[in-house]
Amino acid sequence: MSKPTIGFIGLGLMGGNMVENLQNKGYAVTVMDLNKAAVDKCVERGAKTAKTGKALAEASDIVMLCLTTSEIVEKVIYAENGVLEGLQEGSVLVDFGTSIPASTKKIGADLAKKGVGMIDAPLGRTPAHAKDGLLNIMAAGDIDTFNKVKGVLEDQGENVFYLGALGSGHTTKLINNFMGMTTVCAMSQAFAVAEKAGVDKQQLFDIMSTGPSSSPFMQFCKNYAVDNVSDLGFSIANANKDLGYFLKMVEDLGTESKIAEGSSANLNAAVEAGLSQGNVPEIFEYFKTLTK
């Protein structure tokens, strides 16, 4: 069988590497991004370009989005000459970003009116994994739609999880990021308090890492707070956005999370302190400055 044609919007570090992987595996790809240099890289490898979301969707069996916010996703889909206008019956939209589940479900319902399927498929791991087709992919949506794109997802991910109804992928990703970013905030502040108290941070790590608190996130925090190595490729700005989305999701579910509110407040304060583009463990710098 011939491979489906792919339209890909969003060529940041993750998206650009995902497109390179798809091209290396023989897919015909049409791309769109505001960053001309990122588009040119794809074109040099044989990709086509589109001037509008409508044109890109008309040329594609599967449209893939790797964008930063739900607001941008909705703008790309619903804009004049946007993706929604060009999607053909039987095609599929895949959203790889981290979005608000309620927005995802709304988009899915509107696409279904045109006979178009949707999969929310947020990602785990790094841009390096994307380039090698080794991502973790949390996919959700109608099972027949999932099966239609499963082969392409497996070309992009080492682990492809099917999570059920549309929105479950984004829900799972937000829960995952709530847990991870809260851990980073707690561990980074632990190192900051240790420094203020005159406790050796390396010894603190040595002790804590031998117990049940040990985790890769603890290691990332130690790498920055102790060794001044910033190697968790996820920005404070993105973490702040995701915690905000988690809180919106929790509100939509009719409950609350005081823990998430605390982590979100710290992340937002770090953004306001000018640390937004630093990797998340760099919130250690913010916690060092806190005074009563």
Side-chain angles (χ1 to χ4, degrees):
M1 291 179 62
S2 61
K3 293 180 182 290
T5 55
I6 307 294
F8 204 105
I9 303 176
L11 303 175
L13 288 176
M14 188 70 84
N17 282 354
M18 292 175 77
V19 169
E20 182 173 351
N21 171 64
L22 287 169
Q23 290 179 286
N24 288 340
K25 291 178 177 172
Y27 288 91
V29 185
T30 301
V31 299
M32 234 180 90
D33 195 275
L34 295 176
N35 185 336
K36 185 178 182 301
V39 171
D40 288 344
K41 284 184 180 179
C42 298
V43 171
E44 288 170 6
R45 295 190 300 262
K48 297 179 181 179
T49 62
K51 293 184 178 180
T52 66
K54 178 182 179 181
L56 179 139
E58 288 173 340
S60 307
D61 299 316
I62 304 171
V63 173
M64 297 179 169
L65 309 179
C66 195
L67 301 167
T68 53
T69 68
S70 284
E71 181 181 9
I72 294 173
V73 169
E74 291 197 16
K75 183 176 180 180
V76 164
I77 290 170
Y78 292 114
E80 184 178 355
N81 289 317
V83 168
L84 182 60
E85 292 185 20
L87 286 166
Q88 306 297 307
E89 183 176 356
S91 61
V92 178
L93 178 82
V94 180
D95 180 8
F96 287 120
T98 301
S99 298
I100 300 171
S103 173
T104 302
K105 293 174 184 177
K106 179 187 76 173
I107 293 168
D110 290 338
L111 296 182
K113 295 172 186 176
K114 293 192 68 174
V116 175
M118 181 176 181
I119 296 293
D120 57 310
L123 308 169
R125 296 186 169 172
T126 68
H129 291 100
K131 192 171 185 177
D132 295 330
L134 297 174
L135 291 166
N136 288 334
I137 300 178
M138 294 161 258
D142 175 80
I143 187 62
D144 292 333
T145 303
F146 171 74
N147 286 332
K148 189 180 292 187
V149 300
K150 183 180 178 183
V152 184
L153 296 180
E154 288 176 338
D155 278 339
Q156 295 170 294
E158 181 179 24
N159 301 298
V160 178
F161 303 94
Y162 176 65
L163 301 172
L166 186 69
S168 300
H170 284 145
T171 298
T172 302
K173 178 65 182 295
L174 290 175
I175 294 170
N176 179 74
N177 283 17
F178 154 67
M179 184 67 183
M181 298 308 101
T182 297
T183 300
V184 171
C185 286
M187 196 65 226
S188 295
Q189 186 159 36
F191 282 123
V193 170
E195 184 170 299
K196 284 180 179 289
V199 171
D200 185 275
K201 299 193 295 291
Q202 179 66 56
Q203 286 188 322
L204 174 67
F205 173 78
D206 292 341
I207 292 166
M208 293 185 70
S209 64
T210 63
S213 296
S214 181
S215 72
F217 279 124
M218 178 187 285
Q219 182 70 55
F220 284 124
C221 293
K222 176 263 185 186
N223 290 350
Y224 185 76
V226 178
D227 303 323
N228 200 31
V229 175
S230 189
D231 56 353
L232 174 58
F234 193 69
S235 72
I236 290 172
N238 279 335
N240 187 46
K241 183 264 292 185
D242 287 358
L243 262 292
Y245 281 3
F246 178 83
L247 286 169
K248 178 65 172 67
M249 180 180 74
V250 163
E251 180 184 341
D252 290 342
L253 292 170
T255 184
E256 63 179 1
S257 172
K258 295 297 184 184
I259 296 172
E261 288 173 12
S263 297
S264 181
N266 284 315
L267 289 162
N268 191 60
V271 168
E272 291 179 352
L275 297 170
S276 63
Q277 296 311 304
N279 287 330
V280 185
E282 294 176 43
I283 198 171
F284 171 72
E285 301 294 343
Y286 162 71
F287 286 129
K288 287 199 303 182
T289 68
L290 285 180
T291 56
K292 187 173 179 181

